[in-house]
Amino acid sequence: MQLLIKGADVFAPEALGRKDILISNGKILAIEENINESGLIGPVEVVDGQGKLAIPGLVDTHQHFIGGGGEGGYRTRTPELTLTQQTLNGVTTALGLLGTDSLSRHVESLYAKTKAFNEEGITAVMITGAYHLPSPTITGSVQRDIAFIDPVIGVKLAVSDHRGPFVTRDELGHLVSEVRVASLIANKKGIITVHTGAGKACLDQVFDILEVSDYQPERFVPTHINRPDTWESAVRLAKMGAYIDGTGILHDDGGAGKITCADATRMSIEEGIESRFTFSSDAGGSMPKWNENRTRIIGMGVGTPDSLLIEVRRGVEKGLTLTQMLAPVTINAAHQIGLEDRKGQLLPGFDGDVVLLDQDSLQLTDTIAKGQWMVASGEAIVKGTFE
């Protein structure tokens, strides 16, 4: 079945104006002023795009597919994500990872959930490892995980966090080398997602290894950097060629010392690093609230995929263009994880990942992933074994 979206206002993410979009066999075939369905061969489902904005499916580069948390005891473990949590919030491509807990949660389970999301109809990749070194893996080696397991594109590591390791220069250098060689062999992006805590060193360990080695800054993707104590260091790294990643927040109050991703997007533009800035949801991950000494958890929240569109709307309300707010969660995010040849833009030949928003409220009405309906008129379409 071919899908023909008629008369939507297209943001690819750049503004293209009112266009028709033709999708067939999971790919975008054409984006034109007018596509006449009578001239198409085979069955065609025509979708009325009047009054709607067509944007690329969102690319969320930091999610805890199998849940996270546990820092406050087993009762604070968060649940795994579901397909409808993704699609109802416009996420059609996501990257899964582990966090603090690599004791009761395992990379093998993350792999299984990554495969499940792909079978259900969205696109999912993952990174091996967790906070600590040596990294937990499936094959016993970070290098082998990246080289031989299809959805694995990198590794996770924490720095400057009281829950993470103290990483020596030799340890970090060895990890970067493993990731680089494996990525070359497997033709993958090869990234180290760096959980950046609020500790004293910030990103100093990353800068140190870059100063004494020939490794490329683009190997590193520091996350949770939309905080006043981290932003300046992250900008410095972005200007060296890295992608830096903020974490979406649900409430426009800075979120316990955080800078909203709407404001961080504006700041990235002012710094001239807008093409190197992304923001993600941390969906499924815990949002712990610590006491003053950061020794005991006094509250716990959970990240959700809806923070991406919340931040997009927040930025537009603050005067940024829709294109500016979409870039970090579409084209930039696709580049960050090495899927820029088929994700993050509405272009002929790209995957048929299209989200329709109400043009007035910017609320999601429809989600199409690889040419298949996932959400229609605000209602999730459940696919797969369990219906």
Side-chain angles (χ1 to χ4, degrees):
M1 173 67 73
Q2 301 172 92
L3 286 177
L4 178 58
I5 303 171
K6 297 283 293 181
D9 200 358
V10 177
F11 288 80
E14 68 275 14
L16 300 183
R18 201 168 300 281
K19 302 284 185 180
D20 294 352
I21 304 173
L22 178 63
I23 303 172
S24 180
N25 292 322
K27 298 287 186 179
I28 297 173
L29 291 188
I31 301 176
E32 299 176 3
E33 295 285 347
N34 180 56
I35 300 174
N36 190 344
E37 61 269 28
S38 64
L40 300 175
I41 299 174
V44 181
E45 180 180 357
V46 179
V47 181
D48 185 5
Q50 295 288 330
K52 296 181 180 180
L53 309 180
I55 67 171
L58 303 184
V59 181
D60 196 342
T61 61
H62 192 114
Q63 289 194 353
H64 295 266
F65 290 171
I66 59 173
E71 297 103 319
Y74 295 120
R75 65 186 177 86
T76 62
R77 285 163 49 92
T78 64
E80 71 175 41
L81 299 176
T82 65
L83 176 67
T84 54
Q85 284 178 298
Q86 310 281 18
T87 57
L88 284 169
N89 293 295
V91 175
T92 58
T93 302
L95 179 145
L97 40 67
L98 295 183
T100 309
D101 180 12
S102 57
L103 294 171
S104 68
R105 301 184 191 276
H106 312 99
V107 185
E108 292 88 345
S109 298
L110 176 61
Y111 170 79
K113 187 64 177 182
T114 303
K115 296 289 286 187
F117 274 142
N118 282 292
E119 290 176 4
E120 288 180 305
I122 64 173
T123 300
V125 295
M126 61 174 281
I127 55 178
T128 192
Y131 271 28
H132 289 87
L133 291 175
S135 302
T137 64
I138 297 173
T139 65
S141 158
V142 168
Q143 201 168 54
R144 294 179 69 86
D145 276 12
I146 297 171
F148 299 124
I149 301 178
D150 183 57
V152 180
I153 66 165
V155 68
K156 174 77 173 281
L157 178 68
V159 300
S160 298
D161 196 297
H162 59 94
R163 298 164 295 179
F166 182 83
V167 184
T168 68
R169 179 187 290 179
D170 286 348
E171 288 172 329
L172 185 55
H174 179 71
L175 185 66
V176 180
S177 174
E178 283 197 296
V179 171
R180 181 55 175 157
V181 171
S183 67
L184 290 171
I185 291 171
N187 192 27
K188 294 180 180 179
K189 187 67 173 183
I191 59 173
I192 302 175
T193 296
V194 181
H195 166 96
T196 310
K200 299 174 183 177
C202 195
L203 291 170
D204 288 352
Q205 291 165 300
V206 174
F207 289 119
D208 178 56
I209 199 69
L210 292 175
E211 287 172 2
V212 300
S213 72
D214 296 316
Y215 300 130
Q216 304 97 334
E218 66 187 56
R219 295 279 77 76
F220 298 96
V221 180
T223 66
H224 317 309
I225 52 80
N226 50 318
R227 305 191 314 265
D229 63 330
T230 309
W231 177 255
E232 185 176 340
S233 291
V235 168
R236 176 187 167 195
L237 191 60
K239 289 182 177 180
M240 294 170 65
Y243 284 92
I244 62 174
D245 184 61
T247 302
I249 61 176
L250 300 178
H251 306 291
D252 195 6
D253 60 359
K258 292 181 181 177
I259 303 165
T260 67
C261 288
D263 285 333
T265 301
R266 173 185 52 78
M267 293 161 64
S268 75
I269 295 169
E270 293 170 351
E271 291 282 358
I273 59 162
E274 63 269 28
S275 66
R276 315 301 293 185
F277 174 70
T278 67
F279 59 87
S280 54
S281 71
D282 205 5
S286 64
M287 304 288 185
K289 301 174 184 177
W290 298 90
N291 64 0
E292 185 176 350
N293 297 323
R294 300 186 70 79
T295 58
R296 182 171 59 86
I297 287 178
I298 58 176
M300 181 75 75
V302 181
T304 55
D306 60 342
S307 63
L308 299 188
L309 281 176
I310 287 173
E311 291 279 16
V312 169
R313 289 192 290 268
R314 181 179 289 144
V316 172
E317 290 170 359
K318 291 187 174 187
L320 294 176
T321 68
L322 183 58
T323 294
Q324 289 172 323
M325 285 308 306
L326 286 175
V329 289
T330 56
I331 186 171
N332 295 358
H335 275 275
Q336 183 201 115
I337 60 176
L339 298 180
E340 68 274 12
D341 61 341
R342 61 189 179 98
K343 300 290 184 181
Q345 298 184 77
L346 298 181
L347 289 174
F350 274 51
D351 286 355
D353 298 344
V354 181
V355 171
L356 298 181
L357 307 177
D358 178 82
Q359 67 178 5
D360 296 320
S361 65
L362 299 186
Q363 295 291 332
L364 184 145
T365 62
D366 305 271
T367 300
I368 299 163
K370 291 185 280 191
Q372 300 296 314
W373 284 106
M374 293 290 168
V375 177
S377 301
E379 296 293 328
I381 299 173
V382 179
K383 300 175 180 288
T385 305
F386 303 104
E387 298 187 13

